[in-house]
Amino acid sequence: MLKTKISTFDSTWNPVVGCLHGCEYCYARKIAQRFGGVKIGNFNGNIYELDESYRRSLDGKINPYPYEFMPTFHRYRLNDYIEKKGRNIFVCSMADLFGSWVPESWIDEVFDTCEKAPQHNYLFLTKNPKRYEKILDRYMPPNMWFGWSQTGPMGNKCDFTTHHSIKTFISIEPLLEPFKEIHIRGVDWVIIGAETGRRKDKVVPERKWIEDIVNGCRKAEIPIFMKSSLTDIWGEPLIQEFPKELRGEKHGK
Ligand code: SF4
């Protein structure tokens, strides 16, 4: 996660790391490739599981990405937040936990752990929201938030309008195309951000694109959170609103 003056989330928790979507603008892959390394052996298939952290044989230091950006379940991280004070946790900021390649059992183990620590809010984000359909029939506690990434009008869409009890959000980050009309009925929160980094074909959104989203959210009375990557385009102050369920003391609300 990139740092903002007000962080979108209090913490990130990465029991699963790695993703096969292959987005060109992916910062997580760059981090994993930069700080990761190749674990010797056990290269069968394209998903991995680790029951304990992997240490480099040369210096004994922990390598957080031994398989670089290949999907890896770091099962030993499951209990990282069990004992901690309540906070808003972005689950799997370095992965897509709902990617089609992720075994159901990994998701179940993450959900089971969330249930053991109900003091937190858990925010999930995917580029494959179709996979959420399966969970719509299950009871999901109100501290679990299900988000999907949408970079333009033709991107992922998800309709939770008939499942009011499930908390949802859209992450429009990076904003790559203008939305003529934004479908946000039944959504509880919208996050907007611009592409960061120095990619050759980097897209810098126009202010009008952002205004259109803001107007749509205002009409529907949906809170908006602008990432600091919009500062140069939008100016100060950025709109940084949280749904009431996610307002902690740190935000002074
Ligand atoms: S979905 Fe997210 S983690 Fe996966 S490649 Fe795209 S930007 Fe990276």
Side-chain angles (χ1 to χ4, degrees):
M1 282 299 297
L2 303 178
K3 297 275 179 209
T4 58
K5 280 184 193 162
I6 299 175
S7 298
T8 327
F9 311 102
D10 300 328
S11 303
T12 55
W13 172 43
N14 279 293
V16 175
V17 160
C19 178
L20 300 178
H21 283 309
C23 307
E24 287 181 355
Y25 50 79
C26 182
Y27 71 87
R29 184 175 53 239
K30 278 190 198 140
I31 293 171
Q33 288 174 344
R34 185 164 164 211
F35 297 106
V38 176
K39 188 176 176 185
I40 308 297
N42 195 22
F43 275 89
N44 301 315
N46 60 4
I47 59 168
Y48 301 93
E49 298 196 4
L50 287 170
D51 286 329
E52 55 188 58
S53 55
Y54 180 74
R55 288 182 185 275
R56 296 185 175 96
S57 51
L58 276 180
D59 55 15
K61 287 190 178 158
I62 290 176
N63 178 348
Y65 312 107
Y67 300 107
E68 293 192 353
F69 209 46
M70 297 308 279
T72 307
F73 190 15
H74 295 256
R75 188 172 278 110
Y76 60 92
R77 291 183 187 159
L78 276 175
N79 292 333
D80 282 359
Y81 285 95
I82 292 270
E83 303 288 340
K84 298 211 162 124
K85 218 174 135 195
R87 56 187 81 188
N88 297 331
I89 300 177
F90 182 12
V91 185
C92 296
S93 63
M94 297 288 293
D96 187 338
L97 182 62
F98 299 90
S100 57
W101 55 87
V102 176
E104 201 76 28
S105 60
W106 291 11
I107 299 172
D108 285 343
E109 283 190 61
V110 171
F111 280 179
D112 287 349
T113 308
C114 296
E115 277 174 32
K116 283 185 209 156
Q119 71 272 30
H120 304 303
N121 290 308
Y122 298 95
L123 294 104
F124 302 93
L125 185 62
T126 186
K127 270 215 158 54
N128 184 33
K130 272 199 169 63
R131 195 141 184 206
Y132 284 161
E133 284 168 13
K134 279 196 178 171
I135 61 174
L136 289 176
D137 296 331
R138 288 167 64 167
Y139 168 71
M140 283 294 147
N143 64 331
M144 291 171 89
W145 286 66
F146 293 91
W148 57 96
S149 302
Q150 197 175 337
T151 56
M154 299 310 289
N156 297 309
K157 283 182 198 137
C158 214
D159 188 356
F160 282 87
T161 43
T162 53
H163 295 81
H164 296 295
S165 60
I166 294 184
K167 294 291 180 192
T168 60
F169 65 101
I170 304 181
S171 172
I172 307 174
E173 188 190 18
L175 173 57
L176 299 181
E177 292 172 72
F179 285 74
K180 277 202 185 91
E181 199 185 341
I182 180 157
H183 298 276
I184 45 177
R185 216 154 60 87
V187 170
D188 299 288
W189 194 25
V190 172
I191 297 168
I192 321 172
E195 185 175 349
T196 56
R198 296 179 187 190
R199 192 171 67 90
K200 191 170 133 267
D201 299 319
K202 178 176 166 177
V203 175
V204 179
E206 293 172 19
R207 187 184 164 96
K208 170 85 172 63
W209 302 1
I210 304 164
E211 283 171 355
D212 287 347
I213 297 169
V214 170
N215 291 339
C217 290
R218 287 289 179 249
K219 246 188 240 166
E221 299 183 353
I222 295 168
I224 307 161
F225 188 98
M226 292 180 174
K227 304 288 281 286
S228 59
S229 52
L230 293 184
T231 306
D232 288 347
I233 307 158
W234 187 262
E236 299 270 12
L238 295 170
I239 303 172
Q240 294 190 317
E241 301 164 341
F242 289 82
K244 63 178 184 314
E245 298 87 344
L246 299 179
R247 290 175 199 160
E249 282 168 22
K250 77 191 269 284
H251 304 302
K253 292 174 186 171

